Amino acid sequence: MKSSRLRFDLHTMIRFSIRLLPIFILFAAGSLQAQSKAERNGMDALAKKQYERALSVSEKACKNPETSKFSWPWFIKANALYELGQNQDFVRKNPGWLKEAVKSALKAKGFDKSGKYTKQFSGLLRDLKDANNKEAWSNFGQEKYFRAIQSCRFGYELAGDTLSYAMMGVSYLLAGESREALPVLREAVRRNVDAFRDSVLLHTMVREPFEHLARYYISKNLNDSARFVVENGLEIFPKNTIIRNMQIDLLRQEVRSTPISQPQIMAINKALALRPSDSFFLYSQNAYYLFRIRNSANAGDMAEAIRLLQTFAADKESLHQKGARNGSDIFLLPSRAAILNLVWQYYGERSAFTTAALSYRQYLTVKCPVCE
């Protein structure tokens, strides 16, 4: 009995469902028809530049449960708001138009699983990103960093904009939020370095993350990290004076803290390539070579002494040829022979260096006739 009743109930439910099926189909078809009609109306209004009508149609669709989960009404709304935002009267009456347009575009992208509408409205996304970045820069210039952060985040989410991403990190840092800033700035630096080395997306590279991240590292005495950032930054932006000056400061610290050695002269030469007339580095170069030449000569290793001397003279001559000028550096001369002779005079005038001077002079008499 129980089995018979169950078969009857199941049979009844199937028949009932079959009778309702046409109703479901009609309902779904009606919804799709309504959606299609509203979409056509909105697109038609955009095409005819009837932006107020487009906004009205899209806002109704955005509030309608049957269409609010689709991408197109939000894109139409964002597009209409952007175009209306080019009119100053509209802007005065609707000061939050850009924020609303951006939010609508982001919501539209979220609903657009196939990417169809995102591709169709790609120009709008770029325009919104540019307008949004302009507002972000305004907030940044007024030191309204938290507002700038929000704008930069929108710009990045809209179009994957590298500048927006980098400036979000800078804004976090200047707002005192280093925990949030550092991962963003490091990632921005990495993206710039990768793009430069792969020669792709070169137009997207920005200098700000290098400048601010390096400055932060220097302030924390994290010189190795700072050195990595500035060296990569200079490779990409060789004329950037901010990064260049930070590199000079780091090299100055390195020369001062490093004893006379090969690493020290490498740092000196790297600095002179950036600033060839700098007194500190020219004097450091002199001290390195004169100390090494004297010690080699006093130890009787004249081959090493003359090698160092020739390198010293060649380096000074090369710097002079490249335009280095510094009246206080007596060795910065245009002629290698003049530099070699001046070294002899330098040692000859210093009694403490007598052994080196005599050995040096004797060696030059045989090996370096041009020095006579």
Side-chain angles (χ1 to χ4, degrees), residues 132-152:
N132 184 77
N133 281 357
K134 185 177 179 181
E135 184 170 286
W137 277 109
S138 176
N139 288 324
F140 186 85
Q142 298 175 62
E143 299 184 3
K144 298 176 180 177
Y145 297 124
F146 287 104
R147 288 188 182 180
I149 290 166
Q150 186 62 57
S151 297
C152 289

Side-chain angles (χ1 to χ4, degrees), residues 175-331:
E177 301 291 335
S178 59
R179 179 175 295 181
E180 287 77 12
L182 293 177
V184 176
L185 291 174
R186 291 186 190 115
E187 177 63 13
V189 164
R190 186 194 66 77
R191 291 182 185 184
N192 276 267
V193 171
D194 288 348
F196 178 76
R197 291 178 179 169
D198 295 340
S199 297
V200 296
L201 302 174
L202 298 181
H203 64 285
T204 67
M205 294 189 300
V206 287
R207 58 182 174 77
E208 286 81 5
F210 293 93
E211 295 173 357
H212 288 273
L213 185 58
R215 188 177 291 118
Y216 173 83
Y217 283 144
I218 290 172
S219 72
K220 301 297 182 182
N221 293 318
L222 300 171
N223 290 347
D224 288 341
S225 297
R227 194 172 295 111
F228 172 83
V229 174
V230 299
E231 287 178 356
N232 280 284
L234 273 182
E235 186 179 2
I236 300 171
F237 306 102
K239 296 182 179 179
N240 185 293
T241 55
I242 294 174
I243 302 175
R244 180 183 292 256
N245 288 338
M246 285 191 283
Q247 173 77 316
I248 291 291
D249 290 341
L250 286 168
L251 289 168
R252 198 183 306 276
Q253 291 180 36
E254 185 177 351
V255 170
R256 283 174 173 158
S257 62
T258 306
I260 291 177
S261 59
Q262 189 64 21
Q264 188 198 51
I265 194 61
M266 289 175 64
I268 291 168
N269 289 337
K270 189 180 291 185
L272 287 172
L274 296 172
R275 194 176 291 175
S277 299
D278 186 280
S279 294
F280 173 79
F281 294 111
L282 287 171
Y283 297 162
S284 297
Q285 184 187 49
N286 295 347
Y288 171 85
Y289 279 110
L290 293 172
F291 178 84
R292 292 285 312 279
I293 292 167
R294 182 197 69 184
N295 280 7
S296 295
N298 284 343
D301 188 356
M302 291 309 300
E304 177 63 8
I306 203 65
R307 185 194 69 78
L308 289 164
L309 171 66
Q310 289 171 341
T311 304
F312 179 41
D315 286 353
K316 287 296 185 185
E317 183 183 58
S318 176
L319 283 170
H320 194 279
Q321 289 173 351
K322 292 175 181 176
R325 297 293 185 271
N326 190 313
S328 62
D329 183 2
I330 62 172
F331 296 104

